[in-house]
Amino acid sequence: AFASAGKAYNVLLKNYSCFKGFAPMLSFDRADLDTKLSQCKQLLSTQGFQEYRKGNLSEAIALWQSLLAIDPMNADIKAAVKTATLQQKNLQKSAAGR
């Protein structure tokens, strides 16, 4: 849900200048969108780390990739995805070797 909301807020924020003519009629402004987008990013990050700590690597990676879709320059999340993906591959190799 937060990934979808984040994508919507991101699109609205990027295109906010297109709303210039009817901005006074909107129930939100640029600051509202920025706040909501920041909240979505934080929640996706937090949920990803919660899943990671539980050992749910696939779910953590999926959440973080959703975050990267709206925040592609987030170096910390890129590193987290890389680490979790490597761990997932190592676990798969261990399981296959048994």
Side-chain angles (χ1 to χ4, degrees):
F2 295 114
S4 296
K7 286 178 186 178
Y9 291 135
N10 196 37
V11 168
L12 288 169
L13 193 56
K14 284 182 178 180
N15 294 293
Y16 193 78
S17 62
C18 296
F19 309 142
K20 190 176 182 179
F22 57 94
M25 294 180 276
L26 298 175
S27 63
F28 57 86
D29 61 18
R30 185 180 294 275
D32 294 329
L33 293 173
D34 193 45
T35 298
K36 296 293 187 184
L37 180 58
S38 293
Q39 290 171 344
C40 286
K41 289 178 185 179
Q42 182 60 46
L43 289 166
L44 287 168
S45 176
T46 299
Q47 286 179 341
F49 282 107
Q50 288 171 345
E51 293 302 322
Y52 179 81
R53 287 184 200 103
K54 292 179 192 175
N56 300 330
L57 298 178
S58 294
E59 183 63 25
I61 292 167
L63 287 162
W64 289 331
Q65 287 174 334
S66 294
L67 173 54
L68 288 173
I70 55 176
D71 189 9
M73 302 307 290
N74 190 321
D76 292 335
I77 297 302
K78 284 182 182 181
V81 168
K82 186 175 180 179
T83 298
T85 302
L86 181 61
Q87 288 178 338
Q88 192 175 43
K89 287 179 184 176
N90 288 338
L91 288 171
Q92 289 170 349
K93 284 180 187 177
S94 282
R98 291 181 190 175

